[in-house]
Amino acid sequence: MSTTFVAQAAPQPRISIPFVFWSSYMARVDDAGMSWPGFSYSESEMTRMRALAEHVRDSSIIKFQLWTAAIFIALAAVAIAVLFAFLTWLYPDPARTPAYVFVCILAMCCFITIGFGVPAAMALASRLSAGGVDLSGVAPDARDAALAAKIRFQCWRMTAIMCGVFIPGALLWIAFDIQAGPVITALKTVSIAIMAFSVWFSSRRPSRDM
């Protein structure tokens, strides 16, 4: 009895849907003449992002933005509820909670919600919005893995910077009794305006839905 072994081709790598949506969004940011500090890309990397963006409908980008925001808010609410329940267990009397403990709990919330919540929200949102993505004629690029790794590094770097600045900044505000109400209100207004402009700009671009 003879045995015949048939060589099978190795499975081809697949293009990650979250990677496609991130590329499409950053291509639109670059085309608008804007930039995000900490998220810069070379010309060859941006060329690849634009190539992927051509296969994503504008309506899908808007869905991706809205789903990402909604999912992130839900995940952040859960994380905050769990961590503050733990804080209540440690200090049933809020008045006896040391300032540094409270600040560290807030920093942990920031680290968890941004470091893990944002990628999870984007991953789920991309799948819920993938109906307008057609990658049937797009071949994987050998540089995609390196570019995806760079994006992950950029996200984690931004998380580390935000958490690293937050703790000493919050302690200084507590030490000098700075009234943060007006500042926080202004920051909220600016962030909401930026998000609204981003959604509006995406909707105003020439549609690829046809």
Side-chain angles (χ1 to χ4, degrees):
M1 179 181 296
S2 61
T3 304
T4 302
F5 294 94
V6 178
Q8 295 183 350
Q12 293 295 321
R14 298 178 61 183
I15 302 176
S16 168
I17 295 299
F19 172 63
V20 172
F21 271 103
W22 179 270
S23 298
S24 183
Y25 190 74
M26 293 309 296
R28 284 161 170 77
V29 170
D30 186 71
D31 290 342
M34 300 184 294
S35 63
W36 284 4
F39 294 89
S40 60
Y41 304 96
S42 66
E43 187 59 36
S44 63
E45 291 170 338
M46 192 55 64
T47 298
R48 175 58 175 169
M49 288 182 168
R50 289 195 182 94
L52 294 174
E54 292 296 327
H55 299 270
V56 181
R57 294 180 180 177
D58 290 332
S59 59
S60 295
I61 286 292
I62 296 175
K63 289 179 183 178
F64 172 72
Q65 292 174 314
L66 296 177
W67 273 118
T68 298
I71 295 169
F72 172 73
I73 291 172
L75 293 176
V78 172
I80 292 171
V82 171
L83 289 175
F84 274 85
F86 176 68
L87 181 63
T88 303
W89 177 73
L90 287 177
Y91 299 96
D93 183 1
R96 296 182 178 274
T97 305
Y100 74 91
V101 173
F102 183 74
V103 170
C104 288
I105 290 293
L106 287 180
M108 190 178 300
C109 284
C110 180
F111 178 79
I112 292 174
T113 54
I114 298 177
F116 295 96
V118 171
M122 291 177 61
L124 182 54
S126 64
R127 283 160 177 76
L128 293 173
S129 310
V133 179
D134 182 12
L135 299 176
S136 57
V138 183
D141 191 293
R143 297 167 294 181
D144 286 351
L147 180 54
K150 178 178 179 178
I151 294 170
R152 287 193 295 269
F153 170 77
Q154 291 173 331
C155 293
W156 277 111
R157 180 179 60 188
M158 186 60 64
T159 301
I161 292 173
M162 294 179 67
C163 294
V165 171
F166 173 79
I167 294 178
L171 290 176
L172 286 175
W173 282 40
I174 293 172
F176 290 97
D177 194 24
I178 300 175
Q179 300 300 316
V183 177
I184 298 300
T185 300
L187 291 175
K188 286 181 179 179
T189 302
V190 171
S191 63
I192 292 173
I194 292 174
M195 179 62 71
F197 172 77
S198 177
V199 174
W200 173 83
F201 176 78
S202 296
S203 67
R204 296 287 296 176
R205 286 175 58 85
S207 176
R208 293 189 179 91
D209 292 345
M210 299 302 293

